[in-house]
Amino acid sequence: MTDFSSPLDAVEAVIADYFTAVTAQDVSLLENLFTPDAVLESGATYLEGRDEVLNYYISNTFTFPDFQPTPGPLTIEDDGRRVSVDIEVRLGGHTSRVHDVFELVDGRIRRITITGFDDALRTADRSAPES
């Protein structure tokens, strides 16, 4: 077990693992980061349950070989239970700005609310080459 010097270090590690997982398109790592009752909300999309959330990544984000998120600084609130971050996302040959808000419970992601990703998907070209 990893020894973190503070609870906020553990929060930062969960978010770092999330970005590692989505960048690598690693479904197994991503699965371990979400609670079984996880919720994903992105624009008009509202999904409940870890399997539904993972399927969203598989059928949307992970269909783009050039997907590359570059997160900015984290804003950690509510004693580490809420984390928000602005992200520059390379997707389908385009770069977009996205904002994620994570709600954490017991070191796992219970809810992720994504703003701007629907716009990124609309402008993305699925045939864009990897960068």
Side-chain angles (χ1 to χ4, degrees):
M1 184 171 163
T2 304
D3 181 31
F4 296 103
S5 58
S6 79
L8 295 184
D9 289 343
V11 169
E12 290 175 352
V14 169
I15 304 305
D17 284 349
Y18 168 83
F19 283 109
T20 297
V22 296
T23 300
Q25 300 185 10
D26 184 335
V27 177
S28 296
L29 177 55
L30 199 57
E31 179 179 23
N32 290 325
L33 295 172
F34 283 96
T35 62
D37 61 346
V39 171
L40 180 144
E41 189 170 359
S42 179
T45 301
Y46 182 89
L47 302 170
E48 291 186 62
R50 180 172 43 214
D51 290 342
E52 291 296 316
V53 170
L54 294 174
N55 284 333
Y56 177 86
Y57 286 94
I58 292 165
S59 64
N60 288 291
T61 310
F62 296 171
T63 63
F64 294 92
D66 71 335
F67 174 69
Q68 178 66 50
T70 304
L74 304 180
T75 301
I76 301 173
E77 303 172 295
D78 198 18
D79 293 326
R81 290 186 292 267
R82 181 180 166 96
V83 179
S84 60
V85 60
D86 290 319
I87 307 153
E88 185 174 279
V89 175
R90 178 83 177 157
L91 185 77
H94 297 274
T95 301
S96 301
R97 297 256 181 223
V98 174
H99 182 79
D100 287 0
V101 178
F102 300 88
E103 295 177 22
L104 306 176
V105 174
D106 297 329
R108 292 176 133 187
I109 301 166
R110 167 63 177 91
R111 179 185 195 96
I112 182 170
T113 304
I114 306 166
T115 305
F117 195 69
D118 286 2
D119 292 336
L121 285 171
R122 275 191 287 281
T123 61
D125 177 0
R126 290 191 189 279
S127 64
E130 283 188 59
S131 28

